[in-house]
Amino acid sequence: PAGVLLATCQIAGANNDTVVPFTVSNTGVLTAGATQNVGFDIGMGEVSAEGVFYVGELVNAQIRAFTVNNAGVLTALANSPFSSPGGSGQVRLDPSGKLVFSAPFGVGSLATNVRQSDSSLVPGTGSPFTDNLSDPFVYDFFRVDFQP
């Protein structure tokens, strides 16, 4: 299906990273849009079903949020960035879209952030949570439902 693909690019030098939007045709053809400098060291991100792009900062424990239009142009969400205790190099949404998980590179903790009705984030209760990994690179999240 047609849509927008966002590519994050880490550029040498502090606060110089970019996002390149690509529009996607119904046949899968990609057309690059205007490169957008985001003004911070960008981590990994994910787009919600509502079109909000959540992306972690590599240096600060913050998550940035942007709305994305059909041409891939980013507009910062009000009150963004949001604090993410424990770090924010990688960002993932849970399948329901109600939680945003974040983790720094190489620290061994995972933070939970709760999405509000306006797509802003507040840290989850008890967050961050430590794990037994000394250098986690990427977290991926899978939902498991148990039936009685």
Side-chain angles (χ1 to χ4, degrees), residues 3 13 20 24 46 51 53 55 63 79 93-94 96 104-105 113 123 137:
V20 181
V24 183
E46 191 164 1
F53 177 48
V55 63
I63 297 173
N79 301 318
L93 278 74
D94 83 310
S96 74
F105 291 110
N113 303 277
F137 182 69

Side-chain angles (χ1 to χ4, degrees), residues 60-63 82-90 100-104 107-114 121-130:
N60 300 310
Q62 299 183 122
I63 297 173
F82 305 103
S83 175
S84 181
S88 61
Q90 298 101 226
V100 176
F101 300 105
S102 62
V107 173
S109 66
L110 177 66
T112 302
N113 303 277
V114 181
L121 301 175
V122 296
T125 302
S127 188
F129 306 95
T130 58

Side-chain angles (χ1 to χ4, degrees), residues 69-89:
N69 73 12
N70 59 3
V73 175
L74 303 178
T75 302
L77 198 67
N79 301 318
S80 176
F82 305 103
S83 175
S84 181
S88 61

